[in-house]
Amino acid sequence: MEQKSVTALVSTFSRAYHAENNEVKIFDDSMARLFLSEEEYGQISKNMAEGIGFFNPSFKGTPDEALRWVVDNQLSPSPLGRAAFTEKALYAAVSSGARQYLILGAGYDSFAYRQPAWAKEIQIFEIDHPATAKDKRAKLEKAKLTIPDNVQYITADFMKQEWQTALTQNIKFNKNQISFCSILGVVYYLSVQTFVDLISGLSALLPVGSSIVFDYPDENTYTDKGGERAKKQAMLAATANEKMLAGYSYEDMENVLSSHGFLIYEHLTPGEVTGQYFEAYNHANPLHPMTAFDNVNYCLAVRK
């Protein structure tokens, strides 16, 4: 990628919009707005509101109402749900001894800049393409935010082996230290072989007791059985030149992970995600209910 990720910006927009427009939140990303310029925020708002005919042809309402509908139904469910799932799992991992947090495809993830007290003693490694990483650093500087001492940047293509070399050459990284690794919003864009290679690389890199968390599309996502939202999401990604590629059944995923030394510890389907993470928000917002995204599962696996 020679330019910053459009899907990463839209994901950040959805987290910022949710945080700013709701008292009861599925996930409160209080710093997401810092990673969007006024122009970017305004342009995404305009494009999504004007695209209501694509998302919901029968919709009637104001542009602001249209934007809210698109955000709540199309944009926010995945970024909010997977962030809530991940940070809950991260807290449990740190409580159990993990001392390194690897964020693959970090994009505009804000955890490192709003880290709670329990994260101060861990090393955080943000791994992403140079263009997005550079843009993120520039926005941090513009916001006059000091980068915490426990945050390291690894600029590399994590779909290639070079990211492992770049990580292991960082003097702060300890290959013998139990780690937690998140791979959010990434698996959709990887071929099956690239995904298998990534899991294989992590297996070789992470010691026993380490864990990985990721979201992934199920085996029906890119078929006629896929939900309408999933089909529209795939179309949007393709127009941004970020084509979605492969889907997996639970058995497929279990086989890939087990063959590389990982055991599934927690696995959530869309209905389970809605029940666990969206219930309080939906109770407080009966006019704007939200459900976890079609055909997207969450997985937490542990290195054995």
Side-chain angles (χ1 to χ4, degrees):
M1 291 177 62
E2 296 181 354
Q3 57 184 4
K4 54 193 175 184
S5 169
V6 173
T7 54
L9 286 170
V10 173
S11 176
T12 305
F13 170 84
S14 71
R15 298 196 309 272
Y17 183 97
H18 183 77
E20 293 177 351
N21 290 278
N22 297 284
E23 290 188 7
V24 176
K25 304 171 178 63
I26 294 168
F27 179 77
D28 187 6
D29 192 339
S30 58
M31 299 188 72
R33 186 66 177 82
L34 297 178
F35 297 113
L36 294 161
S37 67
E38 290 298 326
E39 180 182 3
E40 288 168 338
Y41 192 92
Q43 191 62 53
I44 293 172
S45 297
K46 180 175 181 293
N47 289 346
M48 294 304 165
E50 291 179 349
I52 188 64
F54 169 73
F55 295 111
N56 183 357
S58 63
F59 179 85
K60 297 185 184 302
T62 67
D64 285 345
E65 292 169 337
L67 177 60
R68 172 98 196 203
W69 192 96
V70 172
V71 171
D72 286 356
N73 288 273
Q74 192 73 35
L75 304 185
S76 281
S78 280
L80 298 176
R82 69 192 181 210
F85 177 73
T86 297
E87 293 196 13
K88 179 182 177 182
L90 173 62
Y91 174 72
V94 172
S95 299
S96 298
R99 289 296 176 266
Q100 295 180 146
Y101 180 23
L102 282 58
I103 310 176
L104 272 65
Y108 299 94
D109 187 287
S110 67
F111 177 80
Y113 316 99
R114 54 177 170 77
Q115 54 180 291
W118 55 262
K120 302 300 182 183
E121 300 304 315
I122 67 174
Q123 287 293 326
I124 301 171
F125 299 87
E126 294 197 354
I127 305 166
D128 209 350
H129 291 278
T132 299
K134 181 180 179 181
D135 184 60
K136 185 175 188 176
R137 294 284 293 272
K139 287 173 176 173
L140 286 168
E141 291 176 7
K142 184 176 181 180
K144 294 182 171 55
L145 284 178
T146 301
I147 298 172
D149 292 338
N150 64 336
V151 178
Q152 309 295 320
Y153 295 97
I154 309 295
T155 54
D157 186 343
F158 63 87
M159 290 187 289
K160 300 176 182 178
Q161 294 298 316
E162 66 186 54
W163 76 267
Q164 297 177 48
T165 300
L167 176 62
T168 55
Q169 288 179 345
N170 187 291
I171 61 173
K172 295 290 186 179
F173 179 73
N174 182 350
K175 65 179 182 180
N176 298 312
Q177 179 63 64
I178 293 176
S179 302
F180 182 92
C181 177
S182 66
I183 319 167
L184 306 181
V186 170
V187 179
Y188 312 85
Y189 308 102
L190 308 181
S191 68
V192 172
Q193 188 58 56
T194 301
F195 176 64
V196 170
D197 290 344
L198 178 60
I199 296 301
S200 176
L202 287 170
S203 178
L205 185 70
L206 302 177
V208 170
S210 297
S211 50
I212 59 175
V213 65
F214 57 93
D215 52 326
Y216 74 93
D218 71 20
E219 72 275 24
N220 295 318
T221 302
Y222 310 122
T223 72
D224 291 339
K225 296 180 181 180
E228 286 303 312
R229 291 188 297 176
K231 293 175 182 176
K232 288 183 169 66
Q233 198 74 4
M235 292 172 65
L236 285 175
T239 61
N241 199 30
E242 298 177 26
K243 186 177 180 180
M244 295 179 172
L245 299 175
Y248 305 83
S249 67
Y250 178 87
E251 292 74 18
D252 291 335
M253 189 57 65
E254 186 176 44
N255 288 336
V256 170
L257 292 169
S258 64
S259 65
H260 292 93
F262 286 99
L263 177 68
I264 294 178
Y265 183 80
E266 186 175 7
H267 185 275
L268 298 181
T269 62
E272 292 167 333
V273 173
T274 299
Q276 289 192 35
Y277 292 97
F278 291 28
E279 185 176 1
Y281 166 83
N282 285 337
H283 181 74
N285 294 274
L287 297 180
H288 303 286
M290 202 180 301
T291 58
F293 211 76
D294 311 334
N295 306 103
V296 174
N297 298 328
Y298 299 171
C299 184
L300 170 64
V302 179
R303 179 78 169 86
K304 296 296 184 180

